[in-house]
């Protein structure tokens, strides 16, 4: 660089002198001999300065060029680095699709080294998964449209195939003709597997590994969409386990889960190729039968399900016996879409439950009419409570020896604005199902206590007030406290209150029941078992419970005057009850013969139409203190 600068300077000085000499020769040839002496120093210095400037200029130019060259090289190196370290594979081809360059990710994903692929066409390396024509079509598409993006299966060097997400772009260096293609792709096997896992989780129940409600909807939609109503027949079975909640409540959720897993496995063992088992949630399962040969096939399957579910299950040291209630809807008669089929099978399942459980029911249209009626009743009942349409009637209990009224039972009625007086048998079960029984039960208890306290305050002694308590009410954690609060609010002495509970109420969760009963009796009130004999408990079992009275169900009184077996059954119940130290009440005494028979058994208390019907509070006070067979109501 400096040599070039010196050379430029020397040439500048010599050039200048020659130019000066040239000019002098034209004017004065005498000066030729001593030009060096007479030549003026200033122009030389000027020339020297010009030379120096020129040198500097050239030097700067060269430096700039060098720097630009370095920067370009660094940029290329960086780009190479980026390409080589990119996680996406890259491949550049010429216009004839011969591979010119690949990056490290290409090798990592495909297993092909540069020497394997350079100069070859990508199509030749590709999988047979789609066939060569698909690959060719893609490249043809890019040639026409400049770009293609999508998912494609390809083959690695080791022969394995994998899915990849790829984008191919055509490059035109001159802006007119395609000169290169650039393909960028990534291996999506992992994300595809992940998506499949998520898809599986979204459509399956983790406890039983069975497809879930979402999967059922999708499956039904798919099958029904391609079905021909006149030709294809299908069936949908909803299988609900009876009393499964009791298992969860008494043995805990883990045992409940194990039982569900075991029963799901058994049900799965009963289905064939065109039948599928789903878990709707909780203890509800669905079996869907595509291409139903006949209704007999559904009946046969239902019977098998009832049998295998009914076999004992050994769970955590307990031998559990379950039963299912099965509702069946058929395509196309009971529904032409998933929603209708599920809804109608569900309605049929409720009928199966209502008609004794452990059985199956085919859907029938009247069931829907009844279901709608029930829904209507439910909404009306909520309003009834708010609008004070409920009233209490009272049925006296008589002491057989003295013939006096010794107590009354409060029985709720609904004074319906258009239908008149409705009995509890019609609406108490509805209230129990929809949760209304809790406010309703509270209202009954409060009203009954107020009533008997009001009588006492007026000097009217009607004996004890018996109030029916439903299972839901009794099992509330704060039930005993709410009774205590009502007694405190009304000021009624606890000894005047008797609570009637049924056997089934106390047979579920025996320890909790005993605890509540002990607390209630501790307050001083009485406890009676209602409808005794209709539940499953044995008299010996009842010994465990703190009880005062048994109310013998009226079914035991039915034929006592004509049937000796009935008479001896009633006799033994009375004797056993007495041996347990319990007081007895016979319900549903309808005639003199029954009353006489009870008198011979020395059953002290009776209640029944033979004596009094349930009547309003105003009416019942008129019966207080009447003699045994006197003044029977019409
Ligand atoms: P329950 O507690 O066994 O009440 C006795 C039922 O037998 C009453 O029917 C009564 O009218 C009827 N009965 C009484 N004597 C005779 C008779 O001689 N012959 C016949 N055939 N029946 C007689 P009701 O009032 O229709 O009540 C039916 C059931 O509804 C009650 O049976 C009770 O389980 C329930 N219930 C009534 N009121 C309430 C309530 O306030 N709360 C709850 N949870 N349940 C109630
Ligand atoms: Mg009762
Ligand atoms: Mg009863």
């Amino acid at each position: 660089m400096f040599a070039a600068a010196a050379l430029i300077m020397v040439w500048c000085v010599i050039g200048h002198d020659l130019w000066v000499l040239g000019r002098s020769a034209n004017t004065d040839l005498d000066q030729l001999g001593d030009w060096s002496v007479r030549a003026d120093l200033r122009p030389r210095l000027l020339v020297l300065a010009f030379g120096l400037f020129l040198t500097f200029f050239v030097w700067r130019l060269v430096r700039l060029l060098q720097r630009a060259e370095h920067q370009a090289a660094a940029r290329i190196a960086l780009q190479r680095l980026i390409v080589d370290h990119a996680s996406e594979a890259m491949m550049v081809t010429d216009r004839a699709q011969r591979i010119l360059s690949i990056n490290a990710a290409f090798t990592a994903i495909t297993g092909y080294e540069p020497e394997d692929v350079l100069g070859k066409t990508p199509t030749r390396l590709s999988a047979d998964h789609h066939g060569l024509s698909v690959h060719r079509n893609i490249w043809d598409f890019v040639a026409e449209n400049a770009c293609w993006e999508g998912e494609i299966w390809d083959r690695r060097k080791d022969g394995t195939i994998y899915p990849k997400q790829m984008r191919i772009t055509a490059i035109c260096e001159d802006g007119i003709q395609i000169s290169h293609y650039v393909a960028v792709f990534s291996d999506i096997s992992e994300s595809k597997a992940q998506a499949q896992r998520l898809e599986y989780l979204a459509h399956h129940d983790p406890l039983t590994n069975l497809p879930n409600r979402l999967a059922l909807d999708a499956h039904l939609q798919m099958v029904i969409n391609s079905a021909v109503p006149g030709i294809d027949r299908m069936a949908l079975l909803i299988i609900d386990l009876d009393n499964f909640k009791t298992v969860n409540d008494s043995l805990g959720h883990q045992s409940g889960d194990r039982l569900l897993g075991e029963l799901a496995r058994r049900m799965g063992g009963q289905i064939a190729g065109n039948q599928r088992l789903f878990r709707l949630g909780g203890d509800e399962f669905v079996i869907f039968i595509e291409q139903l040969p006949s209704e007999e096939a559904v009946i046969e399957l239902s019977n098998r399900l009832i049998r295998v579910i009914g076999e004992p299950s050994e769970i955590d040291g307990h031998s559990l016996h379950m039963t299912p209630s099965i509702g069946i809807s058929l395509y196309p008669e009971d529904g032409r879409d998933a929603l209708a089929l599920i809804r109608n099978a569900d309605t049929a399942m409720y009928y199966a439950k209502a008609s004794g459980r452990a059985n199956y029911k085919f859907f029938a249209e009247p069931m829907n009419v009844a279901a709608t009626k029930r829904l209507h009743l439910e909404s009306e009942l909520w309003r009834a409570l708010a609008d004070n349409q409920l009233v209490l009637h009272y049925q006296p209990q008589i002491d057989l020896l003295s013939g006096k009224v010794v107590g009354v039972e409060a029985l709720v009625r609904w004074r319906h604005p258009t239908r008149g007086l409705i009995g509890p048998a019609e609406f108490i079960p509805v209230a129990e199902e929809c949760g209304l029984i809790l406010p309703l039960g509270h209202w009954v208890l409060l009203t009954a206590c107020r009533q008997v306290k009001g009588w006492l305050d007026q000097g009217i002694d009607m004996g004890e007030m018996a109030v029916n308590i439903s299972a839901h009410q009794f099992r509330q954690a704060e039930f005993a406290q709410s009774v205590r609060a009502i007694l405190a609010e009304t000021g009624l002495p606890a000894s005047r209150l008797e609570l009637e509970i049924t056997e089934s109420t106390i047979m579920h969760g025996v320890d909790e029941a005993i605890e509540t009963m002990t607390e209630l009796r501790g307050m001083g009130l009485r406890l009676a078992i209602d409808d005794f004999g209709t539940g499953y408990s044995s008299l010996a079992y009842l010994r465990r419970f703190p009880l005062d009275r048994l109310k013998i169900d009226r079914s035991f009184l039915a034929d006592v005057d004509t049937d000796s077996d009935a008479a001896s059954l009633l006799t033994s119940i009375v004797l056993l009850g007495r041996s347990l130290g319990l007081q007895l009440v016979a319900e549903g005494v309808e005639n003199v013969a029954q009353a006489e028979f009870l008198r011979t058994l020395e059953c002290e208390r009776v209640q029944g139409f033979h004596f009094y019907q349930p009547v309003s509070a105003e009416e019942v006070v008129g019966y207080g203190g009447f003699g045994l067979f006197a003044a029977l109501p019409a």
Side-chain angles (χ1 to χ4, degrees):
M1 161 67 63
F2 285 104
L7 213 60
I8 291 167
M9 278 166 58
V10 169
W11 273 109
C12 284
V13 172
I14 294 169
H16 173 263
D17 281 356
L18 286 175
W19 174 70
V20 170
L21 276 177
R23 273 186 56 185
S24 313
N26 290 336
T27 52
D28 189 2
L29 285 170
D30 296 345
Q31 290 170 357
L32 194 68
D34 58 348
W35 58 272
S36 59
V37 177
R38 280 179 290 120
D40 195 340
L41 269 175
R42 270 181 303 172
R44 284 187 177 210
L45 282 172
L46 266 173
V47 168
L48 199 64
F50 175 70
L52 272 172
F53 170 74
L54 205 61
T55 307
F56 177 73
F57 178 74
V58 169
W59 174 72
R60 281 300 300 165
L61 198 67
V62 169
R63 281 300 301 269
L64 276 174
L65 285 172
Q66 275 179 339
R67 190 179 299 166
E69 200 178 311
H70 264 107
Q71 280 176 345
R75 222 175 10 249
I76 289 170
L78 184 65
Q79 279 167 355
R80 187 72 238 173
L81 205 68
I82 292 169
V83 167
D84 274 345
H85 285 81
S87 57
E88 289 179 311
M90 292 181 198
M91 168 180 76
V92 179
T93 75
D94 62 13
R95 56 183 300 207
Q97 294 153 18
R98 278 186 300 265
I99 299 173
L100 299 177
S101 158
I102 58 168
N103 68 348
F106 183 100
T107 303
I109 291 173
T110 66
Y112 286 114
E113 298 291 343
E115 56 270 25
D116 298 327
V117 296
L118 294 185
K120 298 191 176 137
T121 60
T123 318
R124 306 188 89 205
L125 305 169
S126 296
D128 320 320
H129 194 80
H130 298 292
L132 281 180
S133 64
V134 172
H135 288 265
R136 268 199 212 106
N137 288 346
I138 291 171
W139 285 93
D140 290 349
F141 184 90
V142 185
E144 259 177 49
N145 301 283
C147 186
W148 179 87
E149 183 161 10
E151 231 178 68
I152 190 165
W153 286 81
D154 217 337
R155 189 180 289 281
R156 297 191 186 91
K157 188 179 177 182
D158 63 8
T160 55
I161 57 166
Y162 66 103
K164 66 186 191 183
Q165 176 73 29
M166 180 155 76
R167 182 183 172 85
I168 308 174
T169 314
I171 309 286
C172 307
E173 271 182 340
D174 58 5
I176 304 164
Q177 266 223 326
I178 293 174
S179 56
H180 297 90
Y181 293 100
V182 176
V184 179
F185 61 87
S186 49
D187 181 349
I188 53 169
S189 344
E190 189 50 41
S191 59
K192 247 193 153 29
Q194 175 85 355
Q196 272 170 0
R197 267 197 299 276
L198 286 176
E199 165 83 6
Y200 183 87
L201 286 178
H203 288 89
H204 285 80
D205 155 51
L207 178 68
T208 57
N209 275 331
L210 288 174
N212 61 12
R213 170 78 196 234
L214 216 61
L216 173 68
D217 287 344
H219 183 70
L220 288 182
Q221 201 154 357
M222 186 194 73
V223 175
I224 291 171
N225 278 351
S226 57
V228 186
I231 296 168
D232 292 317
R233 290 199 78 206
M234 308 178 219
L236 190 140
L237 288 76
I238 289 191
I239 304 137
D240 190 283
L241 302 176
D242 301 326
N243 298 323
F244 179 75
K245 199 176 165 298
T246 316
V247 176
N248 263 350
D249 288 351
S250 48
L251 301 183
H253 284 267
Q254 280 186 344
S255 300
D257 284 356
R258 271 194 273 282
L259 179 62
L260 281 176
E262 165 65 16
L263 297 182
R265 200 186 52 73
R266 287 188 203 168
M267 282 188 260
Q270 298 304 314
I271 57 172
N274 64 351
Q275 305 171 347
R276 274 184 187 224
L277 175 65
F278 300 81
R279 183 180 173 210
L280 280 196
D283 57 353
E284 265 193 349
F285 295 83
V286 161
I287 290 179
F288 183 64
I289 309 177
E290 252 179 272
Q291 295 150 5
L292 182 70
S294 64
E295 285 181 22
E296 280 67 44
V298 190
I299 295 173
E300 203 241 323
L301 174 64
S302 302
N303 281 326
R304 271 191 286 130
L305 289 170
I306 292 170
R307 186 167 44 76
V308 296
I309 290 173
E311 283 164 13
S313 308
E314 302 302 325
I315 303 287
D316 300 334
H318 299 270
S319 183
L320 304 174
H321 294 262
M322 298 304 292
T323 55
S325 293
I326 304 173
I328 305 157
S329 63
L330 300 173
Y331 172 93
E333 49 266 59
D334 299 336
R336 291 181 177 225
D337 57 59
L339 208 69
L341 282 175
I342 294 174
R343 192 188 54 227
N344 290 339
D346 204 44
T347 305
M349 186 272 289
Y350 273 103
Y351 270 81
K353 267 207 193 305
S355 55
R357 297 161 192 247
N359 65 13
Y360 62 86
K361 281 267 179 289
F362 281 90
F363 173 75
E365 199 47 54
M367 290 180 180
N368 258 345
V369 177
T372 316
K373 222 172 119 185
R374 194 199 155 283
L375 261 181
H376 184 64
L377 190 76
E378 186 182 318
S379 68
E380 274 195 319
L381 196 51
W382 283 100
R383 211 170 329 122
L385 189 64
D387 293 354
N388 286 324
Q389 291 172 14
L390 298 181
V391 286
L392 288 188
H393 277 188
Y394 302 90
Q395 185 178 31
Q397 293 178 353
I398 316 293
D399 178 74
L400 264 184
L401 296 177
S402 67
K404 293 227 165 82
V405 173
V406 282
V408 288
E409 178 177 6
L411 295 160
V412 67
R413 271 99 183 86
W414 177 4
R415 218 183 277 287
H416 192 279
T418 55
R419 293 174 57 200
L421 210 60
I422 302 177
E426 192 174 331
F427 63 88
I428 289 283
V430 177
E432 275 172 345
E433 267 181 47
C434 70
L436 189 69
I437 193 68
L438 297 181
L440 189 153
H442 185 267
W443 177 86
V444 168
L445 192 58
L446 183 66
T447 311
C449 288
R450 268 196 193 131
Q451 184 61 68
V452 73
K453 176 69 169 73
W455 284 332
L456 283 175
D457 290 347
Q458 293 169 46
I460 302 168
D461 185 358
M462 299 297 288
E464 292 125 14
M465 172 66 79
V467 178
N468 293 284
I469 302 296
S470 86
H472 283 69
Q473 244 179 310
F474 180 80
R475 291 195 199 126
Q476 269 187 300
E478 64 277 15
F479 177 65
Q481 281 110 292
S482 76
V483 174
R484 194 190 297 275
I486 287 174
L487 289 175
E489 185 183 335
T490 55
L492 180 71
S495 58
R496 291 283 174 165
L497 181 63
E498 178 167 300
L499 302 183
E500 294 187 5
I501 42 187
T502 61
E503 289 161 84
S504 55
T505 301
I506 54 172
M507 287 306 159
H508 295 298
V510 170
D511 294 337
E512 289 86 351
I514 290 176
E515 205 177 303
T516 308
M517 291 165 84
T518 310
E519 191 176 347
L520 290 167
R521 267 181 110 220
M523 290 179 214
L525 50 80
R526 288 159 183 275
L527 296 175
I529 289 291
D530 202 357
D531 305 337
F532 178 72
T534 56
Y536 300 105
S537 56
S538 66
L539 271 175
Y541 198 62
L542 279 183
R543 203 190 293 271
R544 296 184 57 192
F545 296 95
L547 284 167
D548 297 281
R549 227 192 284 277
L550 286 187
K551 292 192 78 177
I552 302 165
D553 191 68
R554 70 164 182 267
S555 55
F556 293 100
L557 269 67
D559 303 313
V560 282
D561 47 338
T562 52
D563 182 345
S564 62
D565 283 347
S568 60
L569 182 61
L570 180 63
T571 308
S572 49
I573 288 178
V574 169
L575 292 177
L576 277 168
R578 198 165 290 137
S579 75
L580 286 172
L582 297 172
Q583 297 163 18
L584 299 163
V585 189
E587 291 191 271
V589 183
E590 290 181 338
N591 54 50
V592 182
Q594 288 169 342
E596 283 303 330
F597 188 73
L598 288 163
R599 194 204 288 274
T600 58
L601 289 178
E602 291 176 23
C603 176
E604 56 270 34
R605 264 194 200 217
V606 288
Q607 178 181 345
F609 294 165
H610 175 62
F611 302 102
Y612 299 109
Q613 297 264 349
V615 288
S616 68
E618 296 74 37
E619 250 179 286
V620 83
V621 287
Y623 304 150
F626 273 78
L628 175 54
F629 297 110
L632 291 184

